[in-house]
Amino acid sequence: LREIEANLEFARTINGADNGRILSQVTPHATDTQTPETMRAHAAAAAELGNGIHIHLSQSGRETETVKRLWGVTPTAWCKQFGFFDGPFFGAHMVGLDFEVDPPILNAAGAVYAHCPSGGGAGGPTQPYPEALAAGMNVNIGIDTHSNDYIEKLKLAVLYGQARESLIGESSPVALRKPTIWDAVRGATLVAANGLGRTDIGRIAPGAKADLVGIDVRGPLVGTGAFPPEPLNNLLYANGLSTRLVMTDGQLQVFDGRFVADDPALVAEQGGAVVRELWTRLAAEGWFD
């Protein structure tokens, strides 16, 4: 409870900073590491900050079994009891989701499944992306370990999802739908924005923020030198280095494939100094022994 209060105190100092770009969410680890008291504290903090909750939800079958044993309901239903769905709600992984009980609760609340295709690390288990799509759930694509290349994450979501649907589709007790790159891009843009209750991001429209990403889908390794009939499909051959332009609030971050918002060498140097300090502390605590 003291940790929750300390996090809330910090969140108050940055909530709404940077012209509203930084909006503090409440982020409990998972339901099986909570008590009713901490669940109520998280819900109260989320109500004060007004930006919702992001949590690992049924990230394993063990979590779901533990919560059912302790509290008699699924993690999703337990979250509902404490008002977790009164604002934006993002639940990550959902490997142990009860697809007979949970999707209707999540869908009624407009909740978002944050699917992280490499959440288990390289070579980790697949996640129920095809099941979630078939259940009509709102699914966005998250990063979480292994790689920070978001274009790669969109590809992995589609490739892993299609493999999962092909391998277990006929034997699965619930319906699956084969994901496409169109599903992944929609999840990366509109689904995430709508889940936050925002109509000014995640789309190119009058009144929306000037947030744009431009990716070369016709150059070498990605395309054929010409624009294809369905350009999004070529994202399956692209990666982060194919990005040519990034704009936030009309301000260029990347232009012509180069990071222009700051000196990239200086950013790397300062970031490296921070990481080396973290490694020093971890070494002192015996983490590398």
Side-chain angles (χ1 to χ4, degrees), residues 105-119:
I105 299 174
L106 295 165
N107 291 346
V112 176
Y113 165 27
H115 169 48
C116 303
S118 66

Side-chain angles (χ1 to χ4, degrees), residues 89-108:
F89 182 91
F90 287 69
H93 306 317
M94 299 196 185
V95 173
L97 203 70
D98 186 331
F99 275 90
E100 293 184 359
V101 174
D102 296 332
I105 299 174
L106 295 165
N107 291 346

Side-chain angles (χ1 to χ4, degrees), residues 52-278:
I53 291 174
H54 197 316
I55 187 173
H56 294 118
L57 185 68
S58 287
Q59 62 179 333
S60 68
R62 181 178 179 180
E63 178 190 343
T64 301
E65 293 167 4
T66 297
V67 173
K68 283 183 176 180
R69 174 173 53 82
L70 290 173
W71 314 112
V73 292
T74 67
T76 296
W78 204 47
C79 285
K80 182 180 179 181
Q81 291 179 8
F82 293 95
F84 274 35
F85 301 131
D86 292 348
F89 182 91
F90 287 69
H93 306 317
M94 299 196 185
V95 173
L97 203 70
D98 186 331
F99 275 90
E100 293 184 359
V101 174
D102 296 332
I105 299 174
L106 295 165
N107 291 346
V112 176
Y113 165 27
H115 169 48
C116 303
S118 66
T126 60
Q127 297 180 9
Y129 187 23
E131 292 94 323
L133 290 175
M137 294 171 61
N138 303 311
V139 189
N140 99 294
I141 309 301
I143 295 179
D144 196 25
T145 77
H146 179 53
S147 167
N148 290 325
D149 187 331
Y150 195 58
I151 306 302
E152 290 284 358
K153 286 297 180 291
L154 300 185
K155 292 163 56 176
L156 286 177
V158 176
L159 298 177
Y160 282 0
Q162 291 194 357
R164 181 182 176 93
E165 191 277 339
S166 297
L167 289 170
I168 69 171
E170 294 184 0
S171 60
S172 173
V174 299
L176 288 81
R177 179 166 75 77
K178 192 182 295 290
T180 68
I181 192 65
W182 301 81
D183 293 316
V185 171
R186 184 175 184 275
T189 54
L190 284 174
V191 169
N194 293 343
L196 292 169
R198 301 283 296 272
T199 59
D200 61 333
I201 57 175
R203 68 207 77 206
I204 301 173
K209 291 183 178 294
D211 296 350
L212 300 170
V213 177
I215 301 171
D216 182 7
V217 296
R218 64 176 181 175
L221 302 182
V222 180
T224 60
F227 284 114
E230 296 184 345
L232 285 185
N233 287 334
N234 278 37
L235 291 177
L236 291 170
Y237 307 97
N239 58 49
L241 294 178
S242 307
T243 302
R244 309 305 298 168
L245 178 141
V246 176
M247 180 184 291
T248 307
D249 271 340
Q251 300 297 313
L252 287 171
Q253 308 287 333
V254 174
F255 181 72
D256 198 22
R258 296 183 298 107
F259 181 64
V260 297
D262 206 328
D263 180 351
L266 180 61
V267 171
E269 179 184 344
Q270 293 177 339
V274 172
V275 173
R276 284 193 296 272
E277 172 63 22
L278 292 174

Side-chain angles (χ1 to χ4, degrees), residues 4-16 23-26 40-53 83 86-88:
I4 295 171
E5 182 57 37
N7 279 274
L8 176 59
E9 183 177 347
F10 172 69
R12 292 179 181 128
T13 68
I14 62 170
N15 195 26
L23 298 172
S24 306
Q25 283 191 313
V26 174
R40 281 190 285 270
H42 287 305
E48 176 185 327
L49 294 171
N51 304 314
I53 291 174
D86 292 348

